[in-house]
Coordinates of all heavy atoms in Angstrom, one line a residue:
V1 N 10.8 -3.7 -5.4 CA 9.4 -3.8 -5.5 C 8.9 -2.3 -5.6 O 9.1 -1.5 -4.8 CB 8.7 -4.5 -4.3 CG1 7.2 -4.5 -4.4 CG2 9.2 -5.9 -4.3
K2 N 8.1 -2.1 -6.7 CA 7.6 -0.7 -6.9 C 6.3 -0.5 -6.1 O 5.6 -1.5 -5.8 CB 7.3 -0.5 -8.4 CG 8.6 -0.6 -9.2 CD 8.2 -0.5 -10.7 CE 9.4 -0.6 -11.6 NZ 9.1 -0.6 -13.0
N3 N 6.0 0.8 -5.8 CA 4.8 1.1 -5.1 C 3.6 0.5 -5.8 O 2.7 -0.1 -5.2 CB 4.6 2.6 -5.1 CG 5.4 3.3 -4.0 OD1 5.7 2.7 -3.0 ND2 5.9 4.5 -4.3
K4 N 3.5 0.5 -7.2 CA 2.3 0.0 -7.9 C 2.2 -1.5 -7.7 O 1.1 -2.1 -7.6 CB 2.3 0.4 -9.3 CG 3.5 -0.2 -10.2 CD 3.4 0.3 -11.6 CE 4.6 -0.2 -12.4 NZ 4.6 0.5 -13.7
E5 N 3.3 -2.2 -7.5 CA 3.3 -3.7 -7.3 C 2.8 -4.0 -5.9 O 2.0 -4.9 -5.7 CB 4.7 -4.3 -7.5 CG 5.1 -4.1 -9.0 CD 6.6 -4.4 -9.2 OE1 7.4 -4.2 -8.3 OE2 6.9 -4.7 -10.4
Y6 N 3.2 -3.2 -4.9 CA 2.8 -3.4 -3.6 C 1.3 -3.0 -3.4 O 0.6 -3.7 -2.7 CB 3.7 -2.6 -2.6 CG 3.5 -3.1 -1.2 CD1 4.3 -4.2 -0.7 CD2 2.7 -2.5 -0.2 CE1 4.1 -4.7 0.6 CE2 2.6 -3.0 1.1 CZ 3.3 -4.1 1.4 OH 3.2 -4.6 2.7
L7 N 0.9 -2.0 -4.2 CA -0.5 -1.6 -4.1 C -1.4 -2.8 -4.7 O -2.5 -3.0 -4.2 CB -0.8 -0.4 -4.9 CG -0.3 0.9 -4.2 CD1 -0.4 2.1 -5.2 CD2 -1.1 1.2 -2.9
K8 N -1.0 -3.5 -5.7 CA -1.7 -4.7 -6.2 C -1.9 -5.7 -5.0 O -2.9 -6.3 -4.9 CB -1.0 -5.3 -7.4 CG -1.1 -4.6 -8.6 CD -0.4 -5.3 -9.7 CE -0.3 -4.4 -11.0 NZ 0.5 -5.1 -12.0
Y9 N -0.8 -5.9 -4.3 CA -0.8 -6.8 -3.1 C -1.9 -6.3 -2.1 O -2.7 -7.1 -1.6 CB 0.6 -6.9 -2.5 CG 0.7 -7.5 -1.2 CD1 0.3 -8.8 -0.9 CD2 1.2 -6.7 -0.1 CE1 0.5 -9.4 0.3 CE2 1.4 -7.3 1.1 CZ 1.0 -8.6 1.3 OH 1.2 -9.2 2.6
L10 N -1.8 -5.0 -1.8 CA -2.8 -4.5 -0.8 C -4.2 -4.6 -1.3 O -5.1 -5.0 -0.5 CB -2.5 -3.0 -0.6 CG -1.2 -2.7 0.2 CD1 -0.9 -1.2 0.3 CD2 -1.2 -3.3 1.6
E11 N -4.5 -4.4 -2.6 CA -5.8 -4.6 -3.2 C -6.3 -6.0 -3.0 O -7.4 -6.3 -2.6 CB -5.8 -4.2 -4.6 CG -5.7 -2.7 -4.9 CD -5.4 -2.4 -6.3 OE1 -5.5 -3.3 -7.2 OE2 -5.2 -1.2 -6.6
S12 N -5.4 -7.0 -3.2 CA -5.7 -8.4 -3.1 C -6.0 -8.7 -1.7 O -7.0 -9.4 -1.4 CB -4.5 -9.2 -3.6 OG -4.8 -10.6 -3.4
I13 N -5.2 -8.2 -0.7 CA -5.5 -8.5 0.7 C -6.8 -7.9 1.1 O -7.6 -8.5 1.9 CB -4.3 -7.9 1.6 CG1 -3.1 -8.8 1.4 CG2 -4.7 -7.9 3.0 CD1 -1.9 -8.3 2.1
K14 N -7.0 -6.7 0.7 CA -8.3 -6.0 1.1 C -9.5 -6.7 0.6 O -10.5 -6.8 1.3 CB -8.3 -4.6 0.5 CG -9.4 -3.7 1.1 CD -9.2 -2.3 0.6 CE -10.2 -1.4 1.4 NZ -9.9 0.0 1.0
K15 N -9.4 -7.3 -0.6 CA -10.5 -8.1 -1.1 C -10.7 -9.5 -0.4 O -11.8 -9.9 -0.2 CB -10.3 -8.3 -2.6 CG -11.4 -9.0 -3.4 CD -11.1 -9.1 -4.8 CE -10.3 -10.3 -5.1 NZ -10.0 -10.6 -6.5
D16 N -9.6 -10.1 -0.1 CA -9.6 -11.5 0.3 C -9.4 -11.7 1.8 O -9.4 -12.9 2.3 CB -8.5 -12.3 -0.4 CG -8.8 -12.4 -1.9 OD1 -10.0 -12.2 -2.3 OD2 -7.9 -12.5 -2.7
S17 N -9.1 -10.7 2.6 CA -8.7 -10.9 4.0 C -9.6 -10.0 4.9 O -10.3 -9.1 4.5 CB -7.2 -10.6 4.2 OG -6.4 -11.4 3.5
V18 N -9.4 -10.2 6.2 CA -10.1 -9.3 7.2 C -9.3 -8.0 7.3 O -8.1 -7.9 6.9 CB -10.2 -10.0 8.6 CG1 -11.1 -11.2 8.5 CG2 -8.8 -10.4 9.1
K19 N -10.0 -7.0 7.9 CA -9.4 -5.7 8.0 C -8.1 -5.6 8.7 O -7.2 -4.9 8.4 CB -10.4 -4.7 8.6 CG -10.0 -3.3 8.7 CD -11.0 -2.4 9.3 CE -10.6 -0.9 9.4 NZ -9.3 -0.5 9.3
Q20 N -8.0 -6.4 9.8 CA -6.7 -6.4 10.6 C -5.5 -6.9 9.7 O -4.4 -6.4 9.9 CB -6.9 -7.3 11.8 CG -7.8 -6.9 12.8 CD -9.3 -7.4 12.6 OE1 -9.6 -7.8 11.5 NE2 -10.1 -7.3 13.6
V21 N -5.7 -7.9 8.8 CA -4.6 -8.3 8.0 C -4.3 -7.2 7.0 O -3.1 -7.0 6.8 CB -5.0 -9.6 7.2 CG1 -4.0 -10.0 6.2 CG2 -5.3 -10.8 8.2
Y22 N -5.2 -6.6 6.4 CA -5.0 -5.5 5.5 C -4.2 -4.3 6.2 O -3.2 -3.8 5.7 CB -6.3 -5.0 4.9 CG -6.1 -3.7 4.1 CD1 -5.6 -3.8 2.8 CD2 -6.5 -2.5 4.6 CE1 -5.5 -2.6 2.0 CE2 -6.4 -1.3 3.8 CZ -5.8 -1.4 2.5 OH -5.7 -0.3 1.8
D23 N -4.7 -3.9 7.4 CA -4.1 -2.9 8.1 C -2.7 -3.2 8.5 O -1.8 -2.3 8.4 CB -4.9 -2.5 9.4 CG -6.2 -1.9 9.1 OD1 -6.5 -1.4 8.0 OD2 -7.1 -1.8 10.0
A24 N -2.4 -4.4 8.8 CA -1.0 -4.9 9.2 C -0.1 -4.8 7.9 O 1.1 -4.7 8.1 CB -1.1 -6.3 9.8
A25 N -0.6 -4.9 6.7 CA 0.2 -4.9 5.5 C 0.5 -3.4 5.0 O 1.4 -3.3 4.2 CB -0.5 -5.6 4.4
L26 N -0.2 -2.4 5.5 CA 0.0 -1.1 5.1 C 1.4 -0.6 5.4 O 1.9 -0.8 6.5 CB -1.0 -0.1 5.7 CG -2.5 -0.3 5.2 CD1 -3.4 0.5 6.1 CD2 -2.6 0.0 3.7
P27 N 2.0 0.2 4.5 CA 3.3 0.8 4.8 C 3.2 1.9 5.8 O 2.1 2.5 5.9 CB 3.8 1.3 3.4 CG 2.7 1.1 2.5 CD 1.6 0.4 3.1
D28 N 4.2 2.2 6.5 CA 4.3 3.2 7.5 C 4.3 4.6 6.8 O 5.4 4.9 6.2 CB 5.5 3.1 8.4 CG 5.6 4.1 9.5 OD1 4.8 5.1 9.5 OD2 6.5 3.9 10.3
P29 N 3.3 5.4 6.8 CA 3.3 6.7 6.1 C 4.4 7.6 6.6 O 4.8 8.5 5.9 CB 1.9 7.3 6.3 CG 1.3 6.5 7.4 CD 2.0 5.2 7.5
G30 N 4.8 7.5 7.9 CA 5.9 8.3 8.4 C 7.2 8.1 7.8 O 8.1 8.9 7.9
K31 N 7.4 7.0 7.0 CA 8.6 6.6 6.4 C 8.7 7.1 4.9 O 9.6 6.9 4.2 CB 8.9 5.1 6.4 CG 8.9 4.5 7.8 CD 10.2 4.4 8.4 CE 10.1 3.9 9.8 NZ 11.0 2.9 10.2
A32 N 7.5 7.6 4.4 CA 7.4 8.1 3.1 C 8.3 9.3 2.9 O 8.2 10.3 3.7 CB 6.0 8.3 2.7
P33 N 9.1 9.4 1.8 CA 9.9 10.6 1.6 C 9.1 11.8 1.1 O 9.6 12.9 1.2 CB 10.9 10.1 0.5 CG 10.2 9.0 -0.2 CD 9.3 8.3 0.8
F34 N 7.9 11.6 0.5 CA 7.1 12.6 0.0 C 5.7 12.4 0.4 O 5.2 11.3 0.5 CB 7.2 12.7 -1.6 CG 8.5 12.6 -2.1 CD1 8.9 11.4 -2.8 CD2 9.5 13.6 -2.1 CE1 10.2 11.3 -3.4 CE2 10.7 13.5 -2.6 CZ 11.1 12.3 -3.3
E35 N 4.9 13.5 0.5 CA 3.5 13.4 0.7 C 2.8 12.7 -0.5 O 3.2 13.0 -1.6 CB 2.8 14.7 1.0 CG 1.4 14.6 1.4 CD 0.8 16.0 1.9 OE1 1.6 16.8 2.4 OE2 -0.4 16.2 1.7
G36 N 2.0 11.8 -0.3 CA 1.3 11.0 -1.3 C 2.2 10.0 -2.0 O 1.8 9.5 -3.1
Y37 N 3.3 9.7 -1.4 CA 4.2 8.7 -2.0 C 3.6 7.4 -2.3 O 4.0 6.8 -3.4 CB 5.4 8.5 -1.0 CG 6.5 7.7 -1.6 CD1 7.4 8.2 -2.5 CD2 6.7 6.4 -1.2 CE1 8.5 7.5 -3.0 CE2 7.7 5.6 -1.7 CZ 8.6 6.1 -2.7 OH 9.6 5.4 -3.2
F38 N 2.7 6.9 -1.5 CA 2.1 5.6 -1.7 C 0.9 5.6 -2.6 O 0.5 4.6 -3.2 CB 1.8 4.9 -0.4 CG 2.9 4.7 0.5 CD1 2.9 5.4 1.8 CD2 4.0 4.0 0.2 CE1 4.0 5.2 2.6 CE2 5.1 3.8 1.0 CZ 5.1 4.5 2.3
T39 N 0.3 6.8 -2.8 CA -0.9 6.8 -3.5 C -0.9 7.7 -4.8 O -1.8 7.5 -5.7 CB -2.1 7.4 -2.6 OG1 -1.6 8.6 -2.1 CG2 -2.3 6.4 -1.5
N40 N 0.1 8.6 -5.0 CA 0.1 9.4 -6.1 C 0.8 8.7 -7.3 O 1.8 8.1 -7.2 CB 0.9 10.7 -5.8 CG 0.9 11.7 -6.9 OD1 0.9 11.4 -8.1 ND2 0.8 13.0 -6.5
K41 N 0.1 8.7 -8.4 CA 0.6 7.9 -9.6 C 2.0 8.3 -10.0 O 2.7 7.5 -10.6 CB -0.4 8.0 -10.7 CG -1.7 7.2 -10.5 CD -2.6 7.3 -11.8 CE -3.8 6.5 -11.5 NZ -4.7 6.4 -12.6
K42 N 2.4 9.5 -9.8 CA 3.7 9.9 -10.2 C 4.8 9.2 -9.5 O 5.9 9.2 -9.9 CB 3.9 11.4 -10.2 CG 4.0 12.0 -8.8 CD 4.2 13.6 -8.9 CE 4.3 14.2 -7.6 NZ 4.4 15.7 -7.7

């Protein structure tokens, strides 16, 4: 599953769910191999 695919999921949850559900779906930024790994288009 690519970052962009998981981001679509997060966008859907953010739109359709409560904040706690969205927050629980966020990836752990401490596990990212690079800064901006989840948000940088590259």
